[in-house]
Amino acid sequence: MNITYISLSGHVEVEKYRYLYFIIVFVVYFLIICSNCTIVCLIVIHKSLHEPMYIFIAALLINSLLFSTNIFPKLMIDFLSDKQIISYQACLAQVFMFYSLSCSEFLLLAAMSYDRYVSICKPLQYPAIMTGKKVTTFLALAWILPAFQTAVPIVGNANTKLCSLTLKVIFCNNSVNKLFCVISRPLIIYGLVLLFSNALCPMIFILFTYTKILIITYQSCREVRKKAAQTCLPHLLVLINYSCLVAYDMVIVRLESDLPKTASFVLTLQIITYNPLFNPIIYGLKMKEINKHLKNFFLSK
């Protein structure tokens, strides 16, 4: 069986800074694992956190861990290698994981916004609406639906003829389309539909629910407004961060030839680091119950 290798040419002066790059990425990945796992373990251990809101937060952090593991280990290997290459099959697998988990992030954030809407706008009906079965259904859909949808173009491109074996990136993303001799128009249209259904639609839904929450809380007492701010602000910060990642990923491929290589390299590293690293910090500091258990955890040491 012939294995086709793709060259990743987006790296900047790897020979000169390989060990510095490796140490930085290793430390960042280590912090991502420790911070996300700490919050997830706290949610699992403490029964007071076994509520839909915290279960969705745990799912979001697990999603971040999977997202980072799809990119960072391969990056570290590339920094220490003489050639930054990846097999075509592994490249497609990385593309699949990248976009499947990215779509899952938006769907999880949409589920969290619905949970906050019911909690704040329909508090008396909350236990009846947000049942364990419904939470499980939301989680299953958030991971399974994007996986099936993302698999379609990946399988469709698996045997596509390649006219180039070089990508001007540091990991495989939608720039993989530039390798093909002929780009399938139906798959391009399908990709746009996928983007709309799994990114733009959840984003519109999230903005709609938070607008409704804002209207309700504005008409309510100070205590309700305080509760809404404490639970909704972290979700909005995460949404803004992740929207920047998706926007960057879409724009960078089109500006690939215009953007300086060093700027593209630095921006890419920053964008893939922000969410996985700052999500647990945002939830650890802003969510009162999680913050309380975090303080107890560290002070008891």
Side-chain angles (χ1 to χ4, degrees), residues 29-44:
Y29 185 48
F30 178 77
L31 290 174
I32 287 170
I33 292 173
C34 291
S35 56
N36 283 277
C37 285
T38 299
I39 303 293
V40 171
C41 287
L42 285 176
I43 293 170
V44 171

Side-chain angles (χ1 to χ4, degrees), residues 161-169 173-183 251-258:
K161 186 180 178 182
L162 305 181
C163 283
S164 173
L165 296 176
T166 302
L167 290 175
K168 297 178 182 179
V169 290
N173 57 8
N174 63 0
S175 62
V176 75
N177 291 326
K178 296 191 174 183
L179 299 175
F180 307 140
C181 298
V182 178
I183 301 175
V251 171
I252 195 67
V253 175
R254 286 153 183 78
L255 297 180
E256 196 176 77
S257 57
D258 303 325

